[in-house]
Amino acid sequence: MRKLLSLIAICALTMGCGEKKEEKKEGGFEMNRTKKEVKTEAKSEGVPVDLNNKGVGPITSVEFGAEIDTELAAIGEAKYNAICTACHMANQRMIGPALAGVYERRSPEWVMNMILNPDGMLKEDPIAKALYEEYNKAIMLNQNLTEEEARAVSEYLRTL
């Protein structure tokens, strides 16, 4: 009797731990396996998109033309390459956020006020505060640009 029970236990254990059964489907074989759910989350800045926020600073209105002003954008590109690339890349996070598509997340006024008045923005603007937290408390330095230089950089950012 003991041998019979042992034999039944071994058979049950062997059947339970056996290989997965293959089922023939049209066009080939398919393994009959339990599917695992893979969770993927959209990676985002964690900072809200707000196109109505104009920020804190001297800029209250910016009008972009329908076409990019290539001369102004070239001036802006030179300034961007001289001072912005230490912290920003077009398509990749660095010390600061990637700037490609910035106007899909921020208003032109907000961008120019951040360029011209980063200290005031950090003190009073909720988005600037959220970016400060998101980017490990890295502070954007005031580059003391003129409004014309900031406008040129803003025009260049439209090309990214």
Side-chain angles (χ1 to χ4, degrees):
M1 183 73 144
R2 217 186 261 177
K3 287 182 182 182
L4 181 62
L5 287 177
S6 296
L7 184 60
I8 292 173
I10 291 172
C11 288
L13 187 60
T14 304
M15 291 176 68
C17 295
E19 290 187 30
K20 302 288 182 193
K21 183 179 176 184
E22 292 183 5
E23 296 178 9
K24 186 168 182 167
K25 294 264 182 174
E26 288 183 32
F29 289 88
E30 184 179 302
M31 295 297 289
N32 184 10
R33 297 183 182 177
T34 305
K35 292 183 180 178
K36 294 182 181 178
E37 184 177 330
V38 178
K39 293 183 181 180
T40 57
E41 293 181 21
K43 194 171 186 179
S44 69
E45 293 180 346
V47 178
V49 171
D50 188 349
L51 297 173
N52 295 318
N53 181 348
K54 294 186 178 193
V56 177
I59 307 302
T60 57
S61 178
V62 175
E63 293 295 325
F64 284 146
E67 300 291 323
I68 293 174
D69 181 337
T70 55
E71 289 180 26
L72 189 59
I75 294 167
E77 180 178 15
K79 188 59 77 173
Y80 175 88
N81 289 333
I83 62 174
C84 303
T85 56
C87 298
H88 296 279
M89 291 180 74
N91 295 305
Q92 183 177 331
R93 272 179 76 122
M94 222 167 106
I95 294 169
L99 294 177
V102 69
Y103 297 116
E104 295 168 12
R105 301 182 304 270
R106 311 281 173 257
S107 70
E109 296 84 4
W110 190 95
V111 172
M112 284 190 61
N113 280 322
M114 191 66 186
I115 292 169
L116 293 169
N117 184 31
D119 303 321
M121 291 281 285
L122 187 57
K123 288 178 185 172
E124 298 180 38
D125 185 75
I127 292 175
K129 290 177 183 180
L131 286 167
Y132 171 75
E133 292 297 326
E134 178 77 17
Y135 287 85
N136 300 315
K137 300 186 179 183
I139 296 173
M140 182 169 160
L141 300 176
N142 190 335
Q143 299 296 326
N144 297 310
L145 298 181
T146 65
E147 285 187 22
E148 292 78 23
E149 291 170 322
R151 178 63 181 88
V153 171
S154 294
E155 190 71 13
Y156 170 66
L157 294 177
R158 292 178 66 194
T159 68
L160 298 179

